[in-house]
Amino acid sequence: MNARTPASAPSRTTRVGDAALELLVERGMRGLTHRAVDERAGLPQGSTSNHARTRQALLETAVRRQVELEAGVLAPHEMPDPGRGLDALVDALALALHRYLTDHRALLVSRYELALEATRRPELRSFFDAAGSAAFHGPLIAMMAGAGSPAPERHALSLIAWCEGLMFSCAAGSFHSAVPGLAELRTGFEELLRGMLGR
């Protein structure tokens, strides 16, 4: 799921989170058990239960790790200042999404496994939404406001929906074998943002 180096041994929390996401990708929600996480993470039996005693706690650990890994790929902190102009913003958004679609497709699968489970577990829904909002929604709303949007929340929602539609299509939908190229993504972002911002 993510690159590891001997110089930075992951914490037990990270190992549990990574193992949970890998199991979700390979086996789906039914394959995510405390025992299976122990085995995948190479931890003594019972370690995951000590860390996350309930299934809800295990799912929350997986969501937190999902958000951490996505933040590393999509890198909202690397988005340019909107004052640099629309071209710089379009370039950065296209590059981030292209990186996700081409090099981190497993993360897309685990994301949808967790999102679907959240529709069946209200307590997970609240946690899932709050984690995503803090990491991505808030910064995107601020970015749209900085770019001159007259309706930053609505425009951020449209931008997120457009990206999520592309991600689903490329992970599990009709375009799973034909990921858009960087130039195509850039054109799409440019059309979308120019339409929103009236430029």
Side-chain angles (χ1 to χ4, degrees), residues 18-117:
D18 284 344
L21 295 180
E22 290 168 8
L23 288 166
L24 286 173
V25 171
E26 293 177 15
R27 306 180 190 177
M29 196 58 65
R30 290 185 180 181
L32 180 63
T33 66
H34 286 77
R35 180 185 294 272
V37 171
D38 284 340
E39 293 173 357
R40 176 55 61 93
L43 295 170
Q45 187 174 341
S47 296
T48 300
S49 291
N50 288 335
H51 171 78
R53 193 159 297 278
T54 65
R55 184 162 182 81
Q56 172 68 14
L58 179 57
L59 289 168
E60 289 180 3
T61 298
V63 169
R64 277 192 293 269
R65 187 59 178 149
Q66 177 79 28
V67 170
E68 288 173 2
L69 292 171
E70 287 185 331
V73 175
L74 296 172
H77 61 283
E78 293 179 0
M79 288 294 115
D81 187 302
R84 287 179 53 193
L86 188 62
D87 285 345
L89 191 56
V90 165
D91 286 341
L93 288 168
L95 183 60
L97 187 56
H98 185 260
R99 184 167 56 217
Y100 199 164
L101 293 174
T102 55
D103 298 332
H104 301 276
R105 292 178 68 131
L107 268 180
L108 290 170
V109 177
S110 56
R111 158 188 269 274
Y112 294 122
E113 288 286 349
L114 290 165
L116 287 170
E117 186 67 6

Side-chain angles (χ1 to χ4, degrees), residues 126-199:
S126 298
F127 187 84
F128 185 91
D129 290 349
S133 179
F136 303 107
H137 296 183
L140 276 176
I141 291 170
M143 182 187 76
M144 294 306 299
S149 166
E153 291 191 16
R154 179 167 56 81
H155 285 159
L157 172 61
S158 295
L159 184 60
I160 290 168
W162 187 83
C163 291
E164 288 190 340
L166 264 178
M167 290 191 294
F168 183 83
S169 293
C170 292
S174 55
F175 288 92
H176 68 277
S177 61
V179 175
L182 183 58
E184 291 177 273
L185 291 173
R186 193 192 184 288
T187 298
F189 274 117
E190 185 173 20
E191 291 171 342
L192 185 66
L193 290 174
R194 286 194 187 282
M196 289 177 179
L197 301 175
R199 297 181 187 172

